[in-house]
Amino acid sequence: MSGAMADPTLDLYDSTGALVATNDNWRDTQEANFIEGGPYAMLRPANEFEAALAAKLRPGAYSAVVRGKNGTTGTALAEVYDYSGGANSKFASISARGFVQTGNDVLVSGLGVQGEGIATLILRALGPSLASSGIANVLSDPTLELRDNDGTLMAFDDNWRDSADQASQIEATGLAPASFLEPAIAVVLAPGNYTVIVRGKNDATGIVAFEIYDLGAERR
C-alpha cells in the first residue's frame, strides 16, 4: 500500500486517560509474546518497526491510539483481538476514528464473528455529531457499507432514518445517531469475516468515527 506509515507507535489508555501500556517496535517490550512459540505468535507483525501489545484488561472502557513516530504521517492499520478464552468477558463495543478523503482513502474495518450461533450488532458512522465534542473538520455526510468475505455488498446506509424498519430497530436499542445525516445498520451475522467501509457522500472529506455495538451474541 502506498503512503503506509513507516514507524507507528501504539498507546493504550484507560477510561481516566491514564496510560496503561505503550509500544513502539514490537520487539522492544513484547518479543516474548509474539516470537515463535509465544502465546500470540500467529499475530506477530511482519515488520520490525510495527507496534503490538498483549494486555490483560479489567472490565471497562479503553482507548488505543496509533501515532506516527516523531510526527510522521501515513496510513496505518489498528487491529484488536479478543483472547479471553473461557473467561466470562467479551467486547461490548469497539470504535475507530480516522480521516476520510476521496478515492481509496476511506475508513475500513474488518469484523470477525467466531464461535457458534449468531451475533446481533449495531454498526454506525458518526460525522456531524462529533462537532459537539469539539472536533473540527468532521465528515458532513458519511455512508456505511457492510460486505461479506467475498466482497459482496450485504447492507448499505446513508442516513439512518431512510428505512423505517431499520430506524425502528436502531431507536429501540438507544443507539440512534444524533444527526439524521449519520448512517447506522442493525444486522444479524453468522460466524465469518466481514468488511465495513465508511465513505464521504459525494466525495466529502473529514473526520469520522465508526462504531460496532454487540447487542448480545447468541453462543452455545
Side-chain angles (χ1 to χ4, degrees), residues 82-109:
D82 183 356
Y83 269 78
S84 300
N88 185 24
S89 64
K90 65 175 184 178
F91 284 131
S93 65
I94 190 167
S95 64
R97 193 175 79 188
F99 189 81
V100 168
Q101 302 186 66
T102 57
N104 293 322
D105 291 328
V106 297
L107 186 61
V108 180
S109 173

Side-chain angles (χ1 to χ4, degrees), residues 3 11 17 39 56 64 79 88 141 172 175 202 209 219:
D11 296 323
K56 293 182 179 180
E79 301 175 325
N88 185 24
D141 195 354
L175 295 171
N202 298 324
R219 295 288 186 269

Side-chain angles (χ1 to χ4, degrees), residues 16-204:
T16 70
L19 183 65
V20 175
T22 185
N23 184 252
D24 176 7
N25 306 321
W26 66 274
R27 286 188 184 273
D28 289 349
T29 59
Q30 299 289 311
E31 185 173 25
N33 288 313
F34 294 97
I35 60 172
E36 185 175 353
Y40 312 116
M42 63 180 295
L43 299 174
R44 180 176 59 205
N47 189 286
E48 300 294 315
F49 291 104
E50 293 174 329
L53 285 172
K56 293 182 179 180
L57 302 176
R58 295 182 179 277
Y62 298 86
S63 298
V65 180
V66 178
R67 296 184 175 92
K69 189 175 182 178
N70 298 324
T72 55
T73 61
T75 301
L77 173 66
E79 301 175 325
V80 183
Y81 295 89
D82 183 356
Y83 269 78
S84 300
N88 185 24
S89 64
K90 65 175 184 178
F91 284 131
S93 65
I94 190 167
S95 64
R97 193 175 79 188
F99 189 81
V100 168
Q101 302 186 66
T102 57
N104 293 322
D105 291 328
V106 297
L107 186 61
V108 180
S109 173
L111 169 61
V113 177
Q114 296 184 338
E116 299 181 11
I118 58 176
T120 304
L121 307 174
I122 295 290
L123 316 177
R124 65 182 198 174
L126 308 182
S129 63
L130 296 180
S132 63
S133 299
I135 298 173
N137 196 23
V138 299
L139 186 61
S140 60
D141 195 354
T143 65
L144 186 59
E145 303 171 21
L146 174 65
R147 296 181 179 271
D148 66 15
N149 195 45
D150 296 321
T152 302
L153 184 66
M154 299 179 61
F156 172 86
D157 192 53
D158 178 4
N159 307 318
W160 70 272
R161 295 188 67 179
D162 286 348
S163 165
D165 179 59
Q166 278 277 292
S168 176
Q169 293 182 57
I170 293 164
E171 285 183 312
T173 67
L175 295 171
S179 171
F180 295 160
L181 295 175
E182 294 170 332
I185 296 172
V187 65
V188 176
L189 297 179
N193 296 315
Y194 304 87
T195 302
V196 183
I197 303 173
V198 181
R199 306 180 193 272
K201 188 175 182 179
N202 298 324
D203 286 331

